[in-house]
Amino acid sequence: MTQPIIRIDRLEKSFGSLKVLDGLSFDVMPGEKLALIGPSGSGKTTILRILMTLETITGGHVEVCGEQLFHMRRNGVERPADEAHLHHMRRHIG
């Protein structure tokens, strides 16, 4: 089976005390079309900004092409992504 090109797992995003994304999970498979719909303030633009690395996440995981977007493994330990990793990952996003 093909792996997802985007995997969002238990994503959380807060702006101060306002939690705009709370435990969001979904996969986007190659060739699949996905529409984000919802009322104003429901987090649609925030999801896109997260995928473009214009926003950081409060919790959860985001994978693009099988690689963690905001985390990286260094010496067997998962750590927050550094700028070099984010730069590398931006090449997969368009």
Side-chain angles (χ1 to χ4, degrees), residues 22-41:
D22 187 12
L24 177 68
S25 295
F26 66 87
D27 291 345
V28 180
M29 301 304 288
E32 183 176 20
K33 292 174 179 46
L34 175 76
L36 298 173
I37 59 173
S40 178

Side-chain angles (χ1 to χ4, degrees), residues 1 5 7 12 27 31 34 38 47 55-56 60 62 81-82 84 88-89 94:
M1 182 168 181
I5 56 170
R7 171 166 278 159
E12 296 180 5
D27 291 345
L34 175 76
I47 293 167
E55 295 285 350
T56 58
V62 178
D82 60 19
H88 164 78
M89 292 304 295

Side-chain angles (χ1 to χ4, degrees), residues 68 71-86 88:
Q68 290 285 330
H71 298 89
M72 59 187 213
R73 294 196 79 73
R74 192 66 48 91
N75 298 325
V77 177
E78 186 175 89
R79 300 171 183 235
D82 60 19
E83 191 58 38
H85 178 79
L86 291 173
H88 164 78

